[in-house]
Amino acid sequence: MTATDRAVELVQVAAEAASDKLGQEIIAYDVSEQLMITDAFVLCSAPNDRQVRAIVDEVEDQLRIKSGAKPVRREGERDGRWVLLDYAEIIVHVQHEEERGFYGLERLWKDCPEIELPEGSRGAERTPLNE
């Protein structure tokens, strides 16, 4: 079992949207064999709460416009530190860089296959925390 074509399409739209709003280190994993609730995770971070919210808004807008997708659930919006957008087929995690470093979702899902993202949709390198 692998991610559906629809899930991969949603991942690519989400990654492009996050990159357009200067998301950092965008990566996607096919988690369909590990989880029954979704096919893919998109991970992204930003250096501040405001940027997290801007990325979340753009991801939602572009998924609605380009794919007709609306989130089933949205969590963490108030704090702007870690927002989760659940689209059933995919889940988008937009984290403040401190949360991303602390929780290390990449370490949890590193054994899952990575989903290739379009050129220019992987975002910038994360800002070092000591700067």
Side-chain angles (χ1 to χ4, degrees):
M1 183 167 43
T2 60
T4 65
D5 290 344
R6 169 77 173 161
V8 171
E9 172 197 335
L10 294 176
V11 161
Q12 292 176 341
V13 170
E16 287 175 8
S19 181
D20 287 348
K21 289 296 177 181
L22 308 178
Q24 298 176 341
E25 292 187 14
I26 304 163
I27 190 166
Y29 292 105
D30 179 339
V31 296
S32 61
E33 292 191 16
Q34 273 66 31
L35 297 175
M36 301 311 290
I37 59 169
T38 192
D39 281 355
F41 278 171
V42 177
L43 309 178
C44 170
S45 55
N48 59 61
D49 303 358
R50 189 176 192 179
Q51 193 69 36
V52 167
R53 288 187 193 98
I55 292 167
V56 167
D57 290 345
E58 186 69 7
V59 167
E60 273 194 314
D61 288 347
Q62 292 305 313
L63 281 169
R64 186 183 68 254
I65 292 165
K66 293 181 177 175
S67 302
K70 294 180 183 173
V72 176
R73 190 176 61 177
R74 182 176 179 165
E75 293 183 9
E77 182 179 11
R78 220 172 318 145
D79 296 335
R81 303 289 292 179
W82 180 351
V83 179
L84 179 146
L85 298 172
D86 182 350
Y87 285 88
E89 294 108 330
I90 71 166
I91 295 176
V92 180
H93 298 270
V94 184
Q95 297 176 299
H96 187 286
E97 61 191 11
E98 291 172 1
E99 270 71 7
R100 187 161 182 187
F102 181 79
Y103 289 101
L105 295 180
E106 292 94 333
R107 290 189 305 271
L108 293 173
W109 302 106
K110 69 178 188 245
D111 294 335
C112 295
E114 224 178 289
I115 296 174
E116 191 169 330
L117 298 175
E119 188 67 33
S121 295
R122 296 190 65 83
E125 293 289 317
R126 262 190 287 178
T127 308
L129 292 178
N130 59 0
E131 288 185 9

